Amino acid sequence: MASWFECKVTYHKMVENGMQKKVTDTFMVDALSFTEAEARVIEEVTPFVSGEMDVASVKKTKISEIFRDDAADKWYLVKPAFITIDEKTAVEKRSVSQILVAGNNFKNAYDNFMEGMKNTMADFEIVSIVETAILDVYSAKLDAPGQQ
């Protein structure tokens, strides 16, 4: 199971008028530890930055799954509530998950979420869909067996 870390990186970016502006961008990284997440975000972002770069923060998230769409340019946080019935008490229980979904707009993110959930047997309802400031998502790099 993936452990997703939200990493904020501060650097100088060239803006439309040709001036340098200090910006902080957010990235998601699949890593085993805070240290690995920081190293991965530095490795992934460095080729796109000229000048100094600083990892401003790294925090663990409760993202349970990522639904990608290579044609999309935004990330949305979808919170579905999975509904179960307690067999002993017959009480309905809702457990909310957090799923990061790529989409070009709200409707596209909703469609991508529903496509990703089409094979689930569980009953669920969407609690919220919110656009995030995340620029990119970096999955774990898996080495071939026997290599170090």
Side-chain angles (χ1 to χ4, degrees), residues 9 20 41-42 45 53 55 61 67 78 93 96 104 107 128:
V9 179
Q20 291 273 340
V41 78
I42 290 170
V45 175
M53 175 180 72
V55 178
T61 67
F67 295 160
V78 180
K93 181 182 176 190
V96 178
N104 288 318
K107 182 178 181 335
S128 70

Side-chain angles (χ1 to χ4, degrees), residues 11-15 18-23 25 50 135:
Y11 58 95
H12 286 89
K13 185 180 202 175
M14 185 77 69
V15 290
M19 301 293 292
Q20 291 273 340
K21 180 180 178 186
K22 191 172 189 176
V23 296
D25 287 331
S50 61
L135 279 189

Side-chain angles (χ1 to χ4, degrees), residues 1 61-65 77-84 92-100 113 117 122-130:
M1 185 168 143
T61 67
K62 294 183 179 182
I63 302 291
S64 61
E65 203 164 344
L77 183 63
V78 180
K79 293 184 180 180
F82 292 96
I83 303 162
T84 57
E92 189 176 278
K93 181 182 176 190
R94 296 166 37 110
S95 59
V96 178
S97 292
Q98 295 184 16
I99 299 176
L100 199 59
F113 171 76
M117 296 298 287
D123 290 333
F124 67 90
E125 58 185 42
I126 297 173
V127 175
S128 70
I129 302 176
V130 178

Side-chain angles (χ1 to χ4, degrees), residues 14-128:
M14 185 77 69
V15 290
E16 292 173 7
N17 63 4
M19 301 293 292
Q20 291 273 340
K21 180 180 178 186
K22 191 172 189 176
V23 296
T24 301
D25 287 331
T26 306
F27 302 91
M28 292 294 291
V29 178
D30 180 11
L32 297 173
S33 67
F34 288 88
T35 306
E36 181 186 352
E38 182 176 11
R40 275 293 310 287
V41 78
I42 290 170
E43 174 189 341
E44 296 288 351
V45 175
T46 297
F48 304 104
V49 175
S50 61
E52 289 187 30
M53 175 180 72
D54 180 44
V55 178
S57 72
V58 177
K59 71 178 183 179
K60 194 165 183 149
T61 67
K62 294 183 179 182
I63 302 291
S64 61
E65 203 164 344
I66 305 259
F67 295 160
R68 296 178 180 277
D69 179 353
D70 293 336
D73 61 350
K74 297 178 185 174
W75 290 95
Y76 292 81
L77 183 63
V78 180
K79 293 184 180 180
F82 292 96
I83 303 162
T84 57
I85 306 287
D86 186 312
E87 292 178 11
K88 293 180 182 176
T89 62
V91 174
E92 189 176 278
K93 181 182 176 190
R94 296 166 37 110
S95 59
V96 178
S97 292
Q98 295 184 16
I99 299 176
L100 199 59
V101 180
N104 288 318
N105 55 43
F106 184 87
K107 182 178 181 335
N108 183 233
Y110 171 81
D111 292 343
N112 289 343
F113 171 76
M114 294 306 286
E115 177 67 23
M117 296 298 287
K118 73 179 179 185
N119 292 326
T120 187
M121 299 292 284
D123 290 333
F124 67 90
E125 58 185 42
I126 297 173
V127 175
S128 70

